[in-house]
């Protein structure tokens, strides 16, 4: 199916069907908001405040290392500091917002706009390759500026 098709017939904005459709996006967005608020209130820059990553304990920086600090920095409006904590995460924010927005709007409208399988596959391969390259480079001496 390549066109936009209704999930189910909808009657009004307050219909039970729309509430059912919107449950997953609202729970997801609410959970992200709660996690962001928690990161704003409890500073991950303080060593051990959110636990310790086992890889970071041995001096290896995974692609997610610095992500909590980046979110905290963003909640304070410090984009450069956030990029310094985890450049890959900060650069991924527009993609994350687009995917969440597209999903939420489609659920609100009650439509399905299928993403071509090849786009999903190659997008995943491309992003995974980028994360792997980021992981390797940030753990080399020449990429130490990427370490959180």
């Amino acid at each position: 199916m390549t066109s936009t098709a209704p999930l189910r017939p909808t009657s009004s904005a307050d219909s039970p069907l729309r509430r059912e459709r919107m449950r997953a996006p609202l729970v997801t967005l609410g959970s992200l908001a709660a996690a962001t608020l928690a990161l704003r209130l409890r500073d991950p820059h303080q060593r051990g405040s959110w636990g310790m990553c086992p890889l970071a304990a041995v001096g290896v920086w995974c692609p997610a290392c610095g992500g909590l600090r980046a979110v905290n920095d963003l909640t304070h409006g410090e984009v450069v500091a956030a990029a310094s904590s985890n450049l890959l995460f900060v650069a991924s924010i527009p993609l994350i917002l687009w995917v969440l927005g597209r999903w939420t709007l489609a659920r609100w409208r009650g439509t399905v706009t299928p993403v071509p399988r090849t786009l999903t596959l190659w997008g995943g391969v491309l992003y995974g390759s980028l994360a792997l390259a980021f992981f390797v480079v940030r753990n080399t001496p020449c990429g130490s500026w990427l370490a959180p």
Side-chain angles (χ1 to χ4, degrees):
M1 177 187 285
T2 57
S3 64
T4 303
L7 286 172
R8 293 185 219 169
T10 58
S11 55
S12 70
D14 295 326
S15 73
L17 295 175
R18 179 170 285 165
R19 279 183 285 204
E20 290 173 22
R21 289 193 318 261
M22 291 302 295
R23 184 175 297 131
L26 291 176
V27 167
T28 301
L29 294 171
S31 298
L32 288 171
T36 301
L37 178 62
L39 286 166
R40 164 87 180 176
L41 298 176
R42 186 170 181 183
D43 189 2
H45 290 91
Q46 296 175 1
R47 188 169 180 86
S49 65
W50 286 92
M52 185 66 170
C53 173
L55 287 176
V58 295
V60 176
W61 308 110
C62 75
C65 280
L68 299 180
R69 291 185 293 275
V71 172
N72 177 268
D73 291 337
L74 288 172
T75 64
H76 289 92
E78 300 170 5
V79 178
V80 174
S84 174
S85 292
N86 191 319
L87 183 60
L88 180 64
F89 172 73
V90 173
S92 299
I93 289 175
L95 176 64
I96 294 166
L97 292 175
W98 179 77
V99 168
L100 283 171
R102 184 177 188 269
W103 176 49
T104 303
L105 185 60
R107 297 299 286 249
W108 177 263
R109 291 179 177 166
T111 58
V112 175
T113 308
V115 178
R117 206 171 208 138
T118 55
L119 178 63
T120 303
L121 174 68
W122 287 108
V125 168
L126 177 67
Y127 193 80
S129 300
L130 183 62
L132 180 62
F134 182 69
F135 171 70
V136 170
V137 171
R138 81 188 314 201
N139 285 291
T140 61
C142 66
S144 62
W145 61 277
L146 289 171

